Amino acid sequence: MFDRAARVLFGCSADDFFDFAKTHPFAGKALEGEMLKVTLSQPKNGNARHLRVMSVLPLRTGFQPVIETLRALYQARSGS
């Protein structure tokens, strides 16, 4: 998943979320149970074999990017 689609879900770049998840191993579970509409496309590069995520649309009203939810959760737990 490239940054354009990742930013919708995570609220940050894929690299930033990866760095956050290194220190918070359960961060990836934050999307568990979410309903999403994902648009995929065939790769335009003849050598590529994997589908590409073109867009991601959360279906729940009030969806917040994962990083916002996790930062609030971890701050509440640490007492900050």
Coordinates of all heavy atoms in Angstrom, one line a residue:
M1 N 0.9 -1.2 0.0 CA 0.0 0.0 0.0 C 0.9 1.2 0.0 O 1.8 1.3 0.8 CB -0.9 0.0 1.2 CG -1.8 1.1 1.3 SD -2.9 1.1 2.8 CE -3.7 -0.4 2.7
F2 N 0.6 2.1 -0.9 CA 1.4 3.3 -1.0 C 0.9 4.4 -0.1 O -0.2 4.3 0.4 CB 1.5 3.8 -2.5 CG 2.3 2.8 -3.3 CD1 1.6 1.9 -4.1 CD2 3.7 2.8 -3.3 CE1 2.3 1.0 -4.9 CE2 4.4 2.0 -4.1 CZ 3.7 1.0 -4.9
D3 N 1.7 5.5 0.1 CA 1.3 6.5 1.1 C -0.1 7.2 0.8 O -0.8 7.5 1.8 CB 2.4 7.6 1.1 CG 3.5 7.2 2.0 OD1 3.4 6.3 2.8 OD2 4.6 7.9 1.9
R4 N -0.4 7.3 -0.4 CA -1.7 8.0 -0.7 C -2.9 7.2 0.0 O -3.7 7.8 0.6 CB -2.0 8.1 -2.2 CG -3.2 8.8 -2.6 CD -3.4 8.9 -4.1 NE -3.2 7.6 -4.7 CZ -3.2 7.3 -5.9 NH1 -3.4 8.3 -6.8 NH2 -3.0 6.1 -6.4
A5 N -2.9 5.9 -0.2 CA -3.9 5.1 0.5 C -3.7 4.9 2.0 O -4.6 4.9 2.8 CB -4.0 3.7 -0.2
A6 N -2.4 4.8 2.3 CA -2.1 4.6 3.7 C -2.5 5.8 4.6 O -2.9 5.6 5.7 CB -0.6 4.3 3.9
R7 N -2.3 7.0 4.1 CA -2.7 8.2 4.9 C -4.1 8.2 5.3 O -4.5 8.8 6.3 CB -2.3 9.4 4.1 CG -0.8 9.7 4.1 CD -0.4 11.0 3.4 NE 1.0 11.1 3.3 CZ 1.8 11.5 4.3 NH1 1.3 11.8 5.5 NH2 3.1 11.6 4.2
V8 N -5.0 7.7 4.4 CA -6.4 7.7 4.8 C -6.6 6.8 6.0 O -7.4 7.2 6.9 CB -7.3 7.1 3.6 CG1 -8.7 6.9 4.0 CG2 -7.2 8.0 2.4
L9 N -6.0 5.6 6.1 CA -6.2 4.7 7.2 C -5.4 5.1 8.4 O -5.9 5.1 9.5 CB -5.8 3.3 6.8 CG -6.6 2.6 5.7 CD1 -6.1 1.3 5.4 CD2 -8.1 2.5 6.2
F10 N -4.1 5.4 8.2 CA -3.2 5.6 9.3 C -3.1 7.1 9.7 O -2.7 7.3 10.9 CB -1.8 5.1 8.9 CG -1.7 3.7 8.5 CD1 -1.0 3.3 7.4 CD2 -2.4 2.7 9.2 CE1 -1.0 2.0 7.0 CE2 -2.4 1.4 8.9 CZ -1.6 1.0 7.8
G11 N -3.4 8.0 8.9 CA -3.2 9.5 9.2 C -1.8 9.9 9.2 O -1.4 11.0 9.7
C12 N -0.9 9.1 8.6 CA 0.5 9.4 8.5 C 1.0 8.6 7.3 O 0.3 7.7 6.8 CB 1.3 9.2 9.8 SG 1.2 7.5 10.3
S13 N 2.3 8.8 7.0 CA 2.9 7.9 5.9 C 3.0 6.5 6.4 O 3.0 6.2 7.6 CB 4.3 8.5 5.5 OG 5.2 8.2 6.5
A14 N 3.1 5.6 5.5 CA 3.3 4.2 5.8 C 4.6 4.0 6.6 O 4.6 3.2 7.6 CB 3.3 3.3 4.5
D15 N 5.7 4.7 6.3 CA 6.9 4.6 7.0 C 6.8 5.1 8.4 O 7.3 4.5 9.4 CB 8.0 5.4 6.3 CG 8.5 4.8 5.0 OD1 8.4 3.5 4.9 OD2 9.1 5.5 4.2
D16 N 6.1 6.2 8.6 CA 5.9 6.7 10.0 C 5.0 5.7 10.8 O 5.3 5.5 12.0 CB 5.1 8.1 10.0 CG 6.0 9.2 9.5 OD1 7.3 9.0 9.4 OD2 5.5 10.3 9.1
F17 N 4.0 5.1 10.2 CA 3.2 4.2 11.0 C 4.1 2.9 11.3 O 4.0 2.4 12.4 CB 2.0 3.8 10.2 CG 1.1 2.9 11.0 CD1 0.3 3.4 12.0 CD2 1.1 1.5 10.8 CE1 -0.5 2.5 12.8 CE2 0.3 0.7 11.5 CZ -0.5 1.2 12.5
F18 N 4.9 2.5 10.4 CA 5.8 1.4 10.6 C 6.7 1.7 11.8 O 6.9 0.8 12.7 CB 6.6 1.1 9.3 CG 7.5 -0.1 9.5 CD1 7.1 -1.4 9.4 CD2 8.9 0.1 9.7 CE1 7.9 -2.5 9.6 CE2 9.8 -0.9 9.8 CZ 9.3 -2.2 9.8
D19 N 7.3 2.9 11.8 CA 8.1 3.2 13.0 C 7.3 3.2 14.3 O 7.8 2.8 15.3 CB 8.8 4.6 12.7 CG 9.8 4.6 11.6 OD1 10.3 3.5 11.3 OD2 10.1 5.7 11.1
F20 N 6.1 3.8 14.3 CA 5.3 3.8 15.5 C 5.0 2.4 15.9 O 5.0 2.0 17.1 CB 4.0 4.5 15.2 CG 3.0 4.7 16.3 CD1 3.2 5.7 17.2 CD2 2.0 3.8 16.5 CE1 2.3 5.8 18.3 CE2 1.2 3.9 17.6 CZ 1.3 4.9 18.5
A21 N 4.7 1.5 14.9 CA 4.3 0.1 15.3 C 5.5 -0.7 15.8 O 5.3 -1.7 16.6 CB 3.7 -0.6 14.0
K22 N 6.7 -0.3 15.5 CA 7.9 -1.0 16.1 C 7.9 -0.9 17.6 O 8.2 -1.8 18.3 CB 9.2 -0.4 15.6 CG 9.5 -0.8 14.2 CD 11.0 -0.4 13.9 CE 11.1 0.4 12.6 NZ 12.4 0.9 12.4
T23 N 7.5 0.3 18.1 CA 7.5 0.5 19.6 C 6.1 0.2 20.2 O 6.0 0.1 21.4 CB 7.9 1.9 20.0 OG1 7.0 2.8 19.3 CG2 9.3 2.2 19.5
H24 N 5.1 0.0 19.4 CA 3.8 -0.4 19.9 C 3.3 -1.6 19.1 O 2.5 -1.4 18.1 CB 2.8 0.8 19.7 CG 3.3 2.0 20.5 ND1 4.1 3.0 19.9 CD2 3.1 2.4 21.7 CE1 4.3 3.9 20.8 NE2 3.7 3.6 21.9
P25 N 3.7 -2.8 19.5 CA 3.4 -4.0 18.6 C 2.0 -4.3 18.3 O 1.7 -5.0 17.3 CB 4.1 -5.1 19.4 CG 4.4 -4.6 20.7 CD 4.4 -3.1 20.7
F26 N 1.0 -3.8 19.0 CA -0.4 -4.1 18.8 C -1.1 -3.0 17.9 O -2.3 -3.1 17.7 CB -1.1 -4.4 20.1 CG -0.6 -5.6 20.8 CD1 0.1 -5.5 21.9 CD2 -0.9 -6.8 20.3 CE1 0.6 -6.6 22.6 CE2 -0.5 -8.0 21.0 CZ 0.3 -7.8 22.1
A27 N -0.3 -2.1 17.4 CA -0.9 -1.0 16.6 C -1.6 -1.5 15.4 O -2.6 -0.9 15.0 CB 0.2 0.0 16.2
G28 N -1.2 -2.5 14.8 CA -1.8 -3.1 13.6 C -3.2 -3.6 13.8 O -4.0 -3.7 12.9
K29 N -3.5 -3.9 15.1 CA -4.8 -4.4 15.4 C -5.9 -3.4 15.5 O -7.1 -3.7 15.6 CB -4.8 -5.2 16.8 CG -3.9 -6.4 16.7 CD -4.6 -7.5 17.5 CE -3.8 -8.8 17.4 NZ -4.6 -9.8 16.8
A30 N -5.5 -2.1 15.4 CA -6.5 -1.0 15.5 C -7.5 -1.0 14.4 O -8.6 -0.5 14.5 CB -5.7 0.3 15.5
L31 N -7.2 -1.6 13.2 CA -8.1 -1.6 12.1 C -9.0 -2.9 12.1 O -9.9 -3.0 11.3 CB -7.4 -1.6 10.8 CG -6.8 -0.2 10.4 CD1 -6.0 -0.3 9.1 CD2 -8.0 0.8 10.2
E32 N -8.7 -3.8 13.1 CA -9.5 -5.0 13.1 C -11.0 -4.7 13.3 O -11.4 -3.9 14.2 CB -9.0 -5.8 14.3 CG -9.3 -7.3 14.2 CD -8.6 -8.0 15.3 OE1 -7.4 -8.3 15.1 OE2 -9.2 -8.3 16.4
G33 N -11.8 -5.3 12.4 CA -13.2 -5.1 12.4 C -13.8 -3.9 11.6 O -15.0 -3.7 11.5
E34 N -12.9 -3.0 11.1 CA -13.3 -1.9 10.3 C -13.7 -2.4 9.0 O -13.2 -3.3 8.4 CB -12.1 -0.9 10.1 CG -11.8 -0.1 11.3 CD -12.9 0.9 11.7 OE1 -13.8 1.3 10.9 OE2 -12.9 1.4 12.8
M35 N -14.8 -1.7 8.4 CA -15.2 -2.0 7.1 C -14.7 -0.9 6.2 O -14.8 0.3 6.5 CB -16.8 -2.0 7.1 CG -17.4 -3.1 7.9 SD -17.2 -4.7 7.3 CE -18.2 -4.6 5.8
L36 N -14.1 -1.4 5.1 CA -13.4 -0.4 4.1 C -13.8 -0.8 2.7 O -14.1 -2.0 2.4 CB -11.9 -0.6 4.2 CG -11.3 -0.5 5.6 CD1 -9.8 -0.9 5.6 CD2 -11.4 0.9 6.1
K37 N -13.9 0.2 1.9 CA -14.1 0.0 0.4 C -12.7 0.2 -0.2 O -12.1 1.3 -0.1 CB -15.1 0.9 -0.2 CG -15.2 0.8 -1.7 CD -16.3 1.7 -2.2 CE -16.4 1.5 -3.7 NZ -17.3 2.5 -4.3
V38 N -12.1 -0.8 -0.8 CA -10.8 -0.7 -1.3 C -10.9 -0.9 -2.8 O -11.5 -1.9 -3.3 CB -9.9 -1.8 -0.7 CG1 -8.5 -1.7 -1.3 CG2 -9.8 -1.6 0.8
T39 N -10.3 0.0 -3.6 CA -10.2 -0.1 -5.0 C -8.8 -0.6 -5.4 O -7.8 0.0 -5.0 CB -10.5 1.2 -5.7 OG1 -11.8 1.7 -5.2 CG2 -10.6 1.1 -7.2
L40 N -8.8 -1.7 -6.2 CA -7.5 -2.3 -6.6 C -7.4 -2.1 -8.1 O -8.4 -2.0 -8.8 CB -7.4 -3.8 -6.2 CG -7.7 -4.1 -4.8 CD1 -7.7 -5.6 -4.6 CD2 -6.5 -3.5 -3.9
S41 N -6.1 -2.1 -8.6 CA -5.9 -2.1 -10.0 C -4.8 -3.0 -10.4 O -3.9 -3.3 -9.5 CB -5.6 -0.7 -10.5 OG -4.3 -0.3 -10.1
Q42 N -4.8 -3.5 -11.6 CA -3.7 -4.3 -12.1 C -2.4 -3.4 -12.2 O -2.5 -2.2 -12.5 CB -4.0 -4.8 -13.5 CG -5.1 -5.8 -13.4 CD -4.7 -7.1 -12.8 OE1 -3.6 -7.5 -12.7 NE2 -5.7 -7.8 -12.2
P43 N -1.2 -3.9 -12.0 CA 0.0 -3.1 -12.2 C 0.2 -2.7 -13.6 O -0.1 -3.5 -14.5 CB 1.1 -4.1 -11.7 CG 0.5 -5.4 -11.8 CD -1.0 -5.3 -11.6
K44 N 0.7 -1.5 -13.8 CA 0.9 -1.0 -15.1 C 2.3 -1.4 -15.6 O 2.5 -1.5 -16.8 CB 0.8 0.5 -15.1 CG -0.6 1.0 -14.9 CD -0.7 2.5 -14.9 CE -2.1 3.0 -14.9 NZ -2.9 2.7 -13.8
N45 N 3.2 -1.7 -14.7 CA 4.5 -2.2 -15.0 C 4.4 -3.7 -15.3 O 3.9 -4.5 -14.6 CB 5.4 -2.0 -13.8 CG 6.8 -2.5 -14.0 OD1 7.1 -3.3 -14.9 ND2 7.7 -2.1 -13.1
G46 N 4.9 -4.1 -16.5 CA 4.8 -5.5 -16.9 C 5.5 -6.5 -16.0 O 5.2 -7.7 -16.0
N47 N 6.5 -6.0 -15.2 CA 7.3 -6.9 -14.3 C 6.6 -7.1 -13.0 O 6.9 -8.0 -12.3 CB 8.7 -6.4 -14.1 CG 9.5 -6.3 -15.4 OD1 9.3 -7.2 -16.3 ND2 10.4 -5.4 -15.5
A48 N 5.7 -6.2 -12.6 CA 5.0 -6.3 -11.3 C 4.0 -7.4 -11.3 O 3.3 -7.6 -12.3 CB 4.4 -4.9 -11.0
R49 N 3.8 -8.0 -10.2 CA 2.9 -9.1 -10.1 C 1.7 -8.9 -9.1 O 0.8 -9.7 -9.1 CB 3.6 -10.4 -9.7 CG 4.5 -10.9 -10.8 CD 5.1 -12.2 -10.4 NE 6.3 -12.0 -9.6 CZ 6.9 -12.9 -8.9 NH1 6.5 -14.1 -8.9 NH2 8.0 -12.6 -8.2
H50 N 1.8 -7.9 -8.3 CA 0.8 -7.7 -7.3 C -0.2 -6.6 -7.6 O 0.2 -5.6 -8.3 CB 1.5 -7.3 -6.0 CG 2.5 -8.4 -5.5 ND1 2.1 -9.6 -5.0 CD2 3.8 -8.4 -5.5 CE1 3.1 -10.3 -4.7 NE2 4.2 -9.6 -5.0
L51 N -1.4 -6.7 -7.2 CA -2.4 -5.7 -7.3 C -1.9 -4.4 -6.6 O -1.2 -4.5 -5.6 CB -3.7 -6.1 -6.8 CG -4.4 -7.3 -7.6 CD1 -5.7 -7.7 -6.9 CD2 -4.7 -6.8 -9.0
R52 N -2.4 -3.3 -7.0 CA -2.1 -2.0 -6.4 C -3.3 -1.4 -5.8 O -4.4 -1.4 -6.4 CB -1.5 -1.0 -7.5 CG -1.1 0.3 -6.9 CD -0.4 1.1 -7.9 NE -0.1 2.4 -7.3 CZ 0.7 3.3 -7.8 NH1 1.3 3.1 -8.9 NH2 0.9 4.4 -7.1
V53 N -3.2 -0.9 -4.5 CA -4.3 -0.2 -3.9 C -4.4 1.2 -4.4 O -3.5 2.0 -4.3 CB -4.1 -0.2 -2.3 CG1 -5.2 0.6 -1.7 CG2 -4.0 -1.6 -1.8
M54 N -5.5 1.5 -5.1 CA -5.7 2.8 -5.7 C -6.4 3.8 -4.7 O -6.1 4.9 -4.7 CB -6.6 2.7 -6.9 CG -5.9 1.9 -8.0 SD -4.2 2.5 -8.5 CE -4.7 4.1 -9.2
S55 N -7.4 3.3 -3.9 CA -8.0 4.1 -3.0 C -8.6 3.3 -1.8 O -8.9 2.1 -2.0 CB -9.2 4.9 -3.6 OG -10.2 4.1 -4.0
V56 N -8.8 3.9 -0.7 CA -9.3 3.3 0.5 C -10.4 4.2 1.0 O -10.1 5.4 1.2 CB -8.2 3.0 1.6 CG1 -8.9 2.4 2.8 CG2 -7.2 2.1 1.0
L57 N -11.6 3.7 1.3 CA -12.6 4.6 1.9 C -13.2 3.9 3.1 O -13.8 2.8 3.0 CB -13.7 4.8 0.8 CG -14.9 5.6 1.3 CD1 -14.5 7.0 1.6 CD2 -16.0 5.5 0.2
P58 N -13.0 4.4 4.3 CA -13.6 3.8 5.5 C -15.1 4.0 5.4 O -15.6 5.0 5.0 CB -13.0 4.7 6.6 CG -11.8 5.4 6.1 CD -12.1 5.5 4.6
L59 N -15.9 3.0 5.8 CA -17.3 3.0 5.7 C -18.0 3.4 7.0 O -19.2 3.7 7.0 CB -17.8 1.6 5.2 CG -17.3 1.2 3.9 CD1 -17.8 -0.2 3.5 CD2 -17.7 2.2 2.8
R60 N -17.3 3.5 8.1 CA -17.9 3.8 9.4 C -17.9 5.4 9.5 O -16.9 6.0 9.4 CB -17.1 3.2 10.5 CG -17.7 3.6 11.9 CD -17.0 2.8 13.0 NE -15.6 3.0 13.1 CZ -15.0 3.9 13.8 NH1 -15.6 4.7 14.5 NH2 -13.6 3.9 13.8
T61 N -19.1 5.9 9.8 CA -19.2 7.3 10.1 C -18.4 7.6 11.4 O -18.4 6.8 12.3 CB -20.7 7.7 10.4 OG1 -21.4 7.3 9.2 CG2 -20.8 9.2 10.6
G62 N -17.6 8.7 11.4 CA -16.8 9.0 12.5 C -15.5 8.3 12.6 O -14.8 8.4 13.6
F63 N -15.1 7.6 11.5 CA -13.8 7.0 11.4 C -12.7 8.0 11.6 O -12.7 9.1 11.0 CB -13.6 6.3 10.1 CG -12.2 5.7 9.9 CD1 -12.0 4.4 10.4 CD2 -11.2 6.4 9.3 CE1 -10.7 3.9 10.2 CE2 -10.0 5.9 9.1 CZ -9.7 4.6 9.6
Q64 N -11.7 7.7 12.5 CA -10.5 8.5 12.7 C -9.3 7.8 12.2 O -9.3 6.5 12.4 CB -10.4 8.9 14.1 CG -11.3 9.9 14.6 CD -10.9 10.3 16.0 OE1 -10.3 9.6 16.8 NE2 -11.4 11.5 16.4
P65 N -8.4 8.4 11.6 CA -7.1 7.7 11.3 C -6.5 7.0 12.5 O -6.6 7.4 13.6 CB -6.2 8.8 10.8 CG -7.1 9.8 10.3 CD -8.3 9.8 11.2
V66 N -6.0 5.8 12.2 CA -5.5 4.9 13.3 C -4.5 5.6 14.2 O -4.5 5.5 15.4 CB -4.9 3.7 12.6 CG1 -4.1 2.8 13.7 CG2 -5.9 2.9 11.9
I67 N -3.6 6.4 13.6 CA -2.5 7.0 14.4 C -3.1 8.0 15.5 O -2.6 8.0 16.6 CB -1.5 7.7 13.6 CG1 -0.2 7.9 14.4 CG2 -1.9 9.0 13.0 CD1 0.6 6.7 14.6
E68 N -4.2 8.7 15.1 CA -4.8 9.6 16.1 C -5.5 8.8 17.3 O -5.3 9.1 18.4 CB -5.9 10.4 15.4 CG -5.4 11.4 14.4 CD -6.5 12.1 13.7 OE1 -7.6 12.2 14.2 OE2 -6.2 12.6 12.6
T69 N -6.1 7.7 16.9 CA -6.7 6.8 17.9 C -5.7 6.2 18.9 O -5.8 6.2 20.1 CB -7.6 5.7 17.3 OG1 -8.5 6.3 16.4 CG2 -8.3 4.8 18.3
L70 N -4.6 5.7 18.2 CA -3.6 5.0 19.0 C -2.8 6.0 19.9 O -2.5 5.7 21.1 CB -2.6 4.3 18.1 CG -3.2 3.1 17.4 CD1 -2.2 2.5 16.4 CD2 -3.5 2.0 18.4
R71 N -2.5 7.2 19.4 CA -1.8 8.2 20.2 C -2.6 8.6 21.4 O -2.1 8.7 22.5 CB -1.4 9.4 19.4 CG -0.2 9.2 18.5 CD 0.2 10.4 17.7 NE 1.3 10.1 16.9 CZ 1.6 10.6 15.7 NH1 0.7 11.5 15.2 NH2 2.7 10.3 15.1
A72 N -3.9 8.8 21.2 CA -4.8 9.1 22.4 C -4.8 7.9 23.4 O -4.8 8.2 24.6 CB -6.2 9.4 21.9
L73 N -4.9 6.7 22.9 CA -5.0 5.6 23.7 C -3.7 5.4 24.5 O -3.7 5.2 25.8 CB -5.2 4.3 22.9 CG -5.2 3.0 23.7 CD1 -6.4 2.9 24.6 CD2 -5.3 1.8 22.7
Y74 N -2.5 5.5 23.9 CA -1.2 5.3 24.6 C -1.0 6.5 25.5 O -0.3 6.3 26.6 CB -0.1 5.1 23.6 CG -0.1 3.7 23.0 CD1 -0.4 3.5 21.6 CD2 0.2 2.6 23.8 CE1 -0.4 2.2 21.1 CE2 0.2 1.4 23.3 CZ -0.1 1.2 21.9 OH -0.1 -0.1 21.4
Q75 N -1.4 7.7 25.2 CA -1.2 8.8 26.1 C -2.1 8.6 27.3 O -1.6 8.9 28.5 CB -1.5 10.1 25.4 CG -0.5 10.6 24.5 CD -0.8 11.9 23.7 OE1 -1.9 12.4 23.9 NE2 0.1 12.4 22.9
A76 N -3.3 8.1 27.2 CA -4.2 7.9 28.3 C -3.6 6.8 29.2 O -3.7 6.9 30.5 CB -5.6 7.5 27.8
R77 N -3.0 5.8 28.7 CA -2.4 4.7 29.5 C -1.2 5.2 30.2 O -0.9 4.7 31.3 CB -2.1 3.5 28.6 CG -3.3 2.8 28.2 CD -3.0 1.5 27.5 NE -4.1 0.8 27.2 CZ -4.1 -0.4 26.6 NH1 -3.0 -1.0 26.2 NH2 -5.3 -1.0 26.3
S78 N -0.4 6.1 29.6 CA 0.8 6.5 30.2 C 0.6 7.6 31.2 O 1.5 8.1 31.9 CB 1.8 6.9 29.2 OG 1.4 8.1 28.5
G79 N -0.6 8.2 31.3 CA -0.9 9.2 32.2 C -0.5 10.6 31.8 O -0.5 11.5 32.6
S80 N -0.2 10.8 30.5 CA 0.3 12.1 30.0 C -0.9 13.0 29.7 O -1.9 12.6 29.3 CB 1.1 11.9 28.7 OG 2.2 11.1 28.9

